[in-house]
Amino acid sequence: MIMLPSEFLARMEALLGKEYGAFLAALDRPLQKGLRLGPKGQDLDLTAGFGLTPVPWAENGYTYDPDTRPGKHPYHEAGAYYLQEPSAMAPAAMLGAKPGERVLDLCAAPGGKSTQLAASMEGRGLLVCNEVSPKRARILSRNIERMGISNALVLNMHPRDLARRFSGFFDRVLVDAPCSGEGMFRKEEAAVTDWSPETVDMCAGRQLEILRSAASMLRLGGTLCYSTCTFAPEEDEGVMARFLAECPDFSPVEADVPWFDHAKPEWAEPFDSRVSAGFRLWPHKLSGEGHFLMLLGREGDTEPADLPAVKGGPVPAALSEFLRDLDIALPAGELISFGQALYLVPTGTPVLDGLKVLRPGLELGELKKGRFEPAHALALWLRTCARTADFPADSREIADYLRGQVLPGDGIGWTLITVDGLSLGWAKASAGQLKNHYPKGLRWT
Ligand code: SAM
């Protein structure tokens, strides 16, 4: 049994009454592991191989048999799926982002919910993934790349500073807030050791501040989702009641979700009966960790605010030649140089000057001595192209490729390496060999 803080246990016993025994027993059971198939993985049949069982509240979400270790599989490197525990799939599923919308994930790292929102958007519209911690923002950026997403920006901003730039800009905003993490007690030991009643109060105050920024960035008529992975009512219901009291133009969005319990407004100060529209996900009632979520609508109905958009330049001849040679059609977007690299910025992206940007869209590659060298991100976004070399997931060639070794192969020029048809990275063919261009930092050891 994990050693849980006595104040936490006393509070949960008082709140849960008869259910407390079942709750405690659930915390002592092993973590429920899950994965969500991304658009690239949806045609694979992984059910038997990974022991998949559908998660009822999330499209393409599954629990898996942990002995099968899907995180150590070439399909993972190809972005076929994202490892995400089942309850964590609920907020983005319920926010309901649609193709063509402007969507903000304000507290986005490591990227589980961003990559899920991207899947709902089917590559159309603008997804802004923001993370305040520089280190975590880099992990987020790598996950956006791995999942082959073309219409996302990755920013590293404080919500307050972002709010100054994006007033009324987004159709939907997700605030998956930093919280006291009680729902993760059986997942991360640090969640237990970092916990204290003071942490709960500090998190509640911080969440309210983040929500104020989030609210100002939502257009009239837009939808906000607030979520946490804690049971603490001072956060969850308490924060929602305080937010509703401060922001009269917001009201709860009702939803009928049979797997989740309604929130408990009577557990928090101030009491606001409308907070019962929120949901609690209990580890003793479903296969997943503890979560809270609530959807809020902003009154009114306006088009999102217009901001001056990025205007790109012409396609350099070397890039045109590369695209023609491999028969690649790029999605809509503006071509810009960012550092050494060329990026395709999603159409309608506001001018990014003054923002800390890690990824301004789809990284295409670099011009080197007049030649174009494609980026890993471009490989992962592609479904196919005119020159590919395909190998089965369990082949020696794929293991060698992921370790950075040269493969045997025909042809000449840039070649897309695919694993069972899923793009994995680049190689350059010449003289009967495929020279390895899998990024050094990602290679298997
Ligand atoms: N949504 C992410 C996912 O699905 O992978 C998980 C987000 S995690 C629950 C909360 C994030 O909020 C952390 O990455 C943390 O660094 C960030 N955070 C911490 N303090 C913050 C603040 N003051 N404003 C915004 N985000 C903050």
Side-chain angles (χ1 to χ4, degrees):
M1 175 79 176
I2 42 175
M3 285 293 290
L4 297 174
S6 54
E7 293 109 313
F8 165 75
L9 292 174
R11 182 237 286 153
M12 295 314 295
E13 186 169 15
L15 294 179
L16 285 172
K18 288 200 300 292
E19 278 181 33
Y20 180 62
F23 171 74
L24 265 194
L27 292 193
D28 211 25
R29 283 200 286 275
L31 180 74
Q32 185 63 68
K33 304 232 175 183
L35 63 78
R36 191 174 33 71
L37 296 179
K40 273 173 83 177
Q42 282 164 24
D43 294 334
L44 295 171
D45 186 4
L46 304 177
T47 308
F50 291 144
L52 300 186
T53 307
V55 170
W57 53 87
E59 203 180 354
N60 298 309
Y62 298 87
T63 57
Y64 65 83
D65 170 358
D67 292 339
T68 61
R69 306 183 69 201
K72 297 272 175 242
H73 195 283
Y75 293 160
H76 181 262
E77 311 314 312
Y81 46 76
Y82 188 100
L83 301 186
Q84 187 180 34
E85 72 84 14
S87 296
M89 298 173 190
M94 299 229 10
L95 183 58
K98 301 208 173 35
E101 290 184 333
R102 296 173 181 176
V103 180
L104 170 64
D105 186 358
L106 189 51
C107 312
K113 296 173 189 79
S114 285
T115 56
Q116 192 176 0
L117 292 167
S120 312
M121 295 172 73
E122 298 172 7
R124 284 178 283 145
L126 174 65
L127 174 62
V128 176
C129 312
N130 180 68
E131 166 58 42
V132 73
S133 146
K135 193 168 156 208
R136 289 174 63 84
R138 286 195 288 277
I139 299 169
L140 168 67
S141 186
R142 282 201 291 276
N143 279 325
I144 295 294
E145 175 176 274
R146 184 173 62 80
M147 296 303 287
I149 296 165
S150 63
N151 60 327
L153 315 181
V154 178
L155 306 183
N156 170 216
M157 300 290 294
H158 192 285
R160 199 180 39 231
D161 298 327
L162 209 57
R164 290 201 190 102
R165 291 283 290 261
F166 288 103
S167 177
F169 185 75
F170 293 99
D171 297 294
R172 293 176 206 265
V173 178
L174 174 62
V175 175
D176 187 35
C179 69
S180 57
E182 296 171 4
M184 293 295 127
F185 278 175
R186 68 175 175 176
K187 186 170 178 219
E188 290 164 19
E189 211 180 312
V192 182
T193 47
D194 292 348
W195 187 92
S196 71
E198 293 73 35
T199 310
V200 170
D201 290 342
M202 184 275 286
C203 287
R206 185 165 62 181
Q207 289 165 17
L208 201 55
E209 265 185 41
I210 297 172
L211 282 165
R212 286 182 192 123
S213 299
S216 73
M217 287 187 270
L218 194 69
R219 73 163 167 89
L220 304 186
T223 308
L224 176 72
C225 179
Y226 159 78
S227 59
T228 74
C229 58
T230 195
F231 304 112
E234 297 86 341
E235 297 170 63
D236 303 347
E237 285 90 348
V239 165
M240 284 292 87
R242 286 162 72 189
F243 177 78
L244 287 170
E246 263 188 31
C247 301
D249 55 336
F250 278 80
S251 50
V253 175
E254 304 278 344
D256 188 17
V257 192
W259 310 280
F260 310 154
D261 279 15
H262 276 284
K264 303 273 192 191
E266 64 278 19
W267 285 359
E269 294 283 342
F271 173 79
D272 183 336
S273 61
R274 293 175 299 166
V275 170
S276 64
F279 293 103
R280 281 184 168 266
L281 283 65
W282 290 107
H284 59 293
K285 295 189 172 177
L286 47 74
S287 285
E289 305 310 295
H291 266 263
F292 179 93
L293 71 94
M294 185 155 159
L295 294 174
L296 298 147
R298 188 170 189 189
E299 250 173 49
D301 185 13
T302 52
E303 288 299 307
D306 259 338
L307 292 174
V310 171
K311 290 265 176 291
V315 179
L319 172 57
S320 291
E321 198 182 311
F322 170 86
L323 296 173
R324 208 173 30 249
D325 180 34
L326 289 187
D327 198 15
I328 296 172
L330 293 177
E334 300 287 328
L335 192 78
I336 63 159
S337 299
F338 183 76
Q340 301 293 311
L342 290 172
Y343 277 82
L344 196 67
V345 175
T347 307
T349 297
V351 172
L352 300 169
D353 298 354
L355 299 175
K356 280 186 242 158
V357 181
L358 274 75
R359 186 176 291 274
L362 178 62
E363 186 181 358
L364 300 176
E366 283 183 34
L367 292 174
K368 287 190 174 167
K369 297 186 190 144
R371 289 165 189 258
F372 179 75
E373 189 164 306
H376 187 53
L378 179 63
L380 289 168
W381 167 75
L382 279 171
R383 297 307 158 90
T384 189
C385 69
R387 200 155 47 242
T388 64
D390 187 51
F391 304 97
D394 57 0
S395 63
R396 164 93 189 262
E397 286 85 350
I398 286 296
D400 284 349
Y401 180 70
L402 289 169
R403 285 195 208 97
Q405 291 170 18
V406 171
L407 303 183
D410 301 327
I412 188 140
W414 289 106
T415 304
L416 187 67
I417 303 296
T418 61
V419 50
D420 293 326
L422 302 180
S423 60
L424 186 60
W426 293 110
K428 201 165 183 186
S430 76
Q433 285 196 327
L434 292 165
K435 189 174 167 238
N436 198 310
H437 281 259
Y438 195 65
K440 291 202 168 63
L442 299 179
R443 288 181 185 175
W444 285 8
T445 47

